[in-house]
Amino acid sequence: MHLVKLNIPKRRLNELSSTDSDSEYCKYWVEWFTYAEGNEYFCDVDEEYILDRFNLTNLSNDVPNYLQALEMITDRLPEKALSNEEREQVERSARYLYGLIHARYIITTQGLKKMLDKFKRGDFGRCPRVYCHQNPLLPVGITDVPSQKGVKLYCCRCEDIYNP
């Protein structure tokens, strides 16, 4: 097995429209996050999944500023102004929390379907080997510890792992 650096085109952030409804407002942060550079391998997690307390079990122990981060993800952060430092901390916690929620979500039926759709479209990239005939790549984690190692891309045809 060897690692190869791939050049994958960045997705363009389409103009996002927002409405006053809570469900659309919640999707706005999630859409913004999933379209941000470096987050190409995330899919959008359903709002119902995020708001179900059962799915968030024990995450409050691992995430600093858990409640504020959850409110940021669901776009329900109170109107009171946060200092720049506090906002940065909450944003960092929200990104971390969303990653943990996403890891749980993609092993559900709905999450697997969304990731399969992205895989079939080739959203994660395509294998550069000629004999793989542009086979879609699948993102894989080398470890389940967050921020330990970066995501890699796996080709199921040649069975190699690539650096994105």
Side-chain angles (χ1 to χ4, degrees):
M1 171 175 53
H2 66 284
L3 298 175
V4 176
K5 175 78 171 152
L6 295 177
N7 290 324
I8 298 173
K10 301 288 182 211
R11 294 188 299 172
R12 295 171 66 176
L13 177 59
N14 296 331
E15 190 172 315
L16 298 173
S17 62
S18 64
T19 64
D20 292 335
S21 77
D22 281 344
S23 64
E24 284 299 313
Y25 217 46
C26 175
K27 289 179 186 175
Y28 179 74
W29 190 93
V30 172
E31 259 187 271
W32 168 82
F33 179 78
T34 56
Y35 279 90
E37 187 174 333
N39 298 337
E40 296 86 8
Y41 307 120
F42 285 99
C43 69
D44 59 318
V45 176
D46 294 335
E47 179 183 8
E48 296 80 31
Y49 188 87
I50 294 172
L51 295 176
D52 186 343
R53 289 177 41 170
F54 176 78
N55 299 324
L56 307 176
T57 303
N58 291 332
L59 293 182
S60 60
N61 301 334
D62 298 334
V63 180
N65 304 314
Y66 171 79
L67 289 176
Q68 290 176 309
L70 185 59
E71 288 172 347
M72 181 174 274
I73 289 171
T74 58
D75 252 349
R76 290 180 171 94
L77 199 59
E79 292 297 319
K80 70 173 185 151
L82 296 174
S83 70
N84 285 342
E85 184 178 316
E86 289 174 326
R87 182 164 287 288
E88 285 177 20
Q89 289 175 349
V90 171
E91 177 69 27
R92 198 171 17 258
S93 294
R95 290 172 181 264
Y96 183 64
L97 178 60
Y98 189 82
L100 295 174
I101 293 169
H102 181 268
R104 292 179 177 190
Y105 179 72
I106 62 172
I107 59 174
T108 66
T109 304
Q110 304 95 321
L112 285 169
K113 182 179 180 327
K114 285 184 180 184
M115 294 302 276
L116 178 62
D117 291 342
K118 288 182 77 146
F119 171 76
K120 286 180 177 179
R121 285 191 311 262
D123 288 356
F124 306 124
R126 302 216 175 252
C127 186
R129 290 196 169 172
V130 173
Y131 290 115
C132 286
H133 307 286
Q134 297 291 304
N135 194 64
L137 296 172
L138 186 65
V140 294
I142 303 302
T143 178
D144 62 351
V145 179
S147 303
Q148 190 83 22
K149 297 208 182 239
V151 68
K152 306 292 183 196
L153 297 171
Y154 174 75
C155 175
C156 56
R157 186 166 275 170
C158 66
E159 298 182 350
D160 261 344
I161 296 177
Y162 299 95
N163 281 323

